[in-house]
Each structure stands twice: as structure tokens, then as C-alpha cells.
Amino acid sequence: QKEVEQNSGPLSVPEGAIASLNCTYSDRVSQSFFWYRQYSGKSPELIMSIYSNGDKEDGRFTAQLNKASQYVSLLIRDSQPSDSATYLCAVNRGTGRRALTFGSGTRLQVQP
Amino acid sequence: KAGVTQTPRYLIKTRGQQVTLSCSPISGHRSVSWYQQTPGQGLQFLFEYFSETQRNKGNFPGRFSGRQFSNSRSEMNVSTLELGDSALYLCASSLDPDQPQHFGDGTRLSIL
């Protein structure tokens, strides 16, 4: 079992729709969770971080965390073609462990 | 505030050569991590440094090495280059290992 799993996609949504990206992780002691966006040919950019159960909203982005289910998701409301990118889920397993473990990413395509 | 700076941006080497890549973290950040990214393997963890100490190392051969200086700048070295070392090498910095990481633009290494 991979430490951080994501569906590779592509996930295709029409412009204006809600895109839902999912991530599961295997280590129950994981402490903090991050979403990165990576455009083709560019480096990953941090867009959301979440540390406790529940929802965290930032503009059109909402991160959701459920530690009991070991599940973290990212919702993108009113999706725009400029949101088309690969979204990487990253998990911090706590002090002393490797800083971040990344999933392989989900490619999102927003159709105009 | 300046971001993470990686130099050089592009490198072309031949098999058997060695290469040194440099990373200057965001001012005040003491943790630096290195990743290799290839289309087939995604983001793979190389090393993590904090306060000049290597905290963690990924599953890469001994040809890959790194270090961190007292000003938090970091270098990684790859010796006896192989064709399979062609990749985007990314450096990320954070205040400490438990904080979100911010990536530089990367060094694209091509081995001929």
C-alpha cells in the first residue's frame, strides 16, 4: 500500500463546476496535510494546508480532513480553465519522520 | 521576500560526469529538502536537512549526496551520472521540518 494515494486522473470538469480531488494516507499518526498545484513544466505551489478535522476554506478552495478515515480532499468551486494542473497531496507524519510524503498527483482538466 | 532560489536552472551533462546543484532557501527557513521528479516516477524524496544535519534520506544510491551550510543554503551532488538521472531536481524550504514547504523553480538536468 502506498503511503499517500491519489487517483491519477485526468479528472475532467466543465468550467464553473466543482472539482473534487481525493487523497488517502496510510499512517495514522500523520499530523498535517497539504495540497500543492503544479502546472506543466513548473514547480509545485502550496495552495492549502490543513491540520485538524473538518473543513478549511480559502477563496474558491476548500480542504477537508477526516483523520478517522485517513482521508483528505480538496474542492475547487467555480472551476476555471486556469485551474487545469496536477494537484499533489502531501502528508507530514510528524517530528522525526521524513518531512513530507507526496502522492503521485491528480491531473485536473477544466473544459471551457 | 525572495523565494527559494535554485541554480543553475538548466544543465546538460554527459554520462560519467558529476554535477553540483545549489539551493538558497527563503530567508529564515532552516529546513531544506530535495526531490527528484520524473514523468514516470513523480516526486521522489532525496534528502532533508535541518540546521546543517541530514535528518532523512530517500532510497537513492550513494552517488547522490548533499549538505547544508550554516547559512541554511544547501547543495546536492550527483557523481558518475547515468542517463536515468535526467530529471527535474527540486529544492523546498520551510521554517522547520513540521512547517509547509515552499519549492524553488528547480534545476532541469539532462544527461546525454
Side-chain angles (χ1 to χ4, degrees):
Chain A
Q1 183 187 11
K2 288 185 180 179
E3 295 175 56
V4 180
E5 294 211 52
Q6 296 181 256
N7 188 320
S8 62
L11 172 66
S12 186
V13 300
E15 185 175 354
I18 296 175
S20 178
L21 304 158
N22 304 315
C23 171
T24 58
Y25 59 95
S26 61
D27 193 336
R28 286 194 166 273
V29 303
S30 297
Q31 300 290 315
S32 45
F33 308 85
F34 307 95
W35 284 98
Y36 288 81
R37 176 177 62 197
Q38 186 173 25
Y39 293 113
S40 181
K42 301 294 187 182
S43 62
E45 173 193 10
L46 178 68
I47 54 172
M48 288 289 286
S49 53
I50 186 165
Y51 303 93
S52 54
N53 280 329
D55 295 359
K56 179 181 177 183
E57 188 175 315
D58 184 1
R60 295 186 297 113
F61 298 101
T62 299
Q64 299 175 316
L65 175 61
N66 183 327
K67 289 187 177 181
S69 300
Q70 295 175 238
Y71 174 93
V72 59
S73 65
L74 178 71
L75 300 178
I76 306 175
R77 289 182 300 282
D78 188 23
S79 295
Q80 302 296 309
S82 58
D83 295 325
S84 298
T86 296
Y87 289 80
L88 300 164
C89 172
V91 174
N92 183 321
R93 295 186 295 161
T95 303
R97 312 284 194 98
R98 183 203 312 172
L100 280 184
T101 303
F102 283 85
S104 56
T106 298
R107 190 156 62 93
L108 173 66
Q109 294 177 338
V110 181
Q111 307 294 337
Chain B
K1 195 173 189 182
V4 178
T5 304
Q6 290 187 247
T7 56
R9 290 294 311 281
Y10 303 93
L11 263 180
I12 298 176
K13 293 286 187 180
T14 57
R15 282 182 299 174
Q17 288 187 310
Q18 76 166 21
V19 67
T20 299
L21 311 182
S22 179
C23 172
S24 293
I26 293 170
S27 178
H29 286 195
R30 294 192 296 154
S31 180
V32 172
S33 294
W34 289 89
Y35 300 87
Q36 181 196 65
Q37 189 173 40
T38 57
Q41 297 296 320
L43 261 177
Q44 296 204 84
F45 171 73
L46 281 157
F47 339 92
E48 177 197 358
Y49 290 90
F50 178 62
S51 295
E52 300 179 67
T53 301
Q54 186 180 90
R55 295 180 76 242
N56 288 291
K57 188 177 192 298
N59 294 326
F60 279 81
R63 301 186 295 108
F64 292 80
S65 62
R67 57 180 176 168
Q68 186 181 33
F69 302 96
S70 58
N71 62 358
S72 295
R73 192 176 70 85
S74 178
E75 288 181 348
M76 67 165 280
N77 184 276
V78 188
S79 62
T80 320
L81 287 165
E82 300 177 0
L83 292 177
D85 297 332
S86 295
L88 178 66
Y89 290 87
L90 290 161
C91 168
S93 77
S94 57
L95 283 168
D96 62 56
D98 292 330
Q99 299 301 313
Q101 293 184 358
H102 299 270
F103 284 83
D105 289 335
T107 295
R108 189 165 295 279
L109 175 63
S110 298
I111 312 301
L112 303 179

